[in-house]
């Protein structure tokens, strides 16, 4: 879930949040599982509920995810595009060995 919200924030800075319905559709999990997970992530300070009931990633959530992505291949792949699928401009901006991550 953090990876999905991370990707959303990077791709759509004007609207970085997703609704519970959006998360349910993207994750293909029952709402009950998502509600529990969102409760936990909110309690840890990794996710916040916006005024319109959408959920967005916090700076603490981003820091946690970036730190853990080096240990979790799935999270890493969700956060960063594969080098084969990115164009020359991305490769030029972030040469091999650099992630483009702002720590």
């Amino acid at each position: 879930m953090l990876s999905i919200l991370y990707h959303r924030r990077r791709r759509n800075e004007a609207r970085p949040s997703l609704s519970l319905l959006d998360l349910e559709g993207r994750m293909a999990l029952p709402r009950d599982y998502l509600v529990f997970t969102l409760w936990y992530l909110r309690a840890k300070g990794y996710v916040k509920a916006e005024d319109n009931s959408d959920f967005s990633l916090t700076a603490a959530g981003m820091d946690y995810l970036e730190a853990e992505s080096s240990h979790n291949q799935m999270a890493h792949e969700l956060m960063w595009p594969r080098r084969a699928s990115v164009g020359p401009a991305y490769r030029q901006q972030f040469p091999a060995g650099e992630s483009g991550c702002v720590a």
Side-chain angles (χ1 to χ4, degrees):
M1 185 176 296
L2 291 177
S3 296
I4 290 170
L5 292 171
Y6 181 95
H7 183 60
R8 174 66 179 210
R9 180 166 290 280
R10 286 182 56 94
R11 301 290 255 162
N12 192 345
E13 202 168 309
R15 188 173 178 271
S17 57
L18 290 171
S19 70
L20 185 58
L21 185 61
D22 289 334
L23 289 168
E24 192 175 11
R26 290 171 191 241
M27 297 185 72
L29 291 172
R31 185 173 289 244
D32 293 343
Y33 288 12
L34 297 178
V35 169
F36 178 80
T37 302
L38 284 166
W39 164 80
Y40 178 78
L41 293 173
R42 287 176 65 199
K44 294 291 281 185
Y46 298 156
V47 169
K48 69 177 180 174
E50 301 293 341
D51 293 337
N52 62 357
S53 299
D54 286 358
F55 296 91
S56 64
L57 188 68
T58 64
M62 184 174 288
D63 291 344
Y64 171 80
L65 190 58
E66 288 179 348
E68 290 300 312
S69 70
S70 63
H71 302 71
N72 184 325
Q73 185 64 29
M74 183 179 289
H76 188 271
E77 288 179 10
L78 288 169
M79 289 171 57
W80 306 108
R82 294 176 189 227
R83 287 192 59 76
S85 66
V86 296
Y90 182 90
R91 283 192 213 103
Q92 187 176 30
Q93 186 178 3
F94 303 112
E98 296 180 22
S99 67
C101 170
V102 177

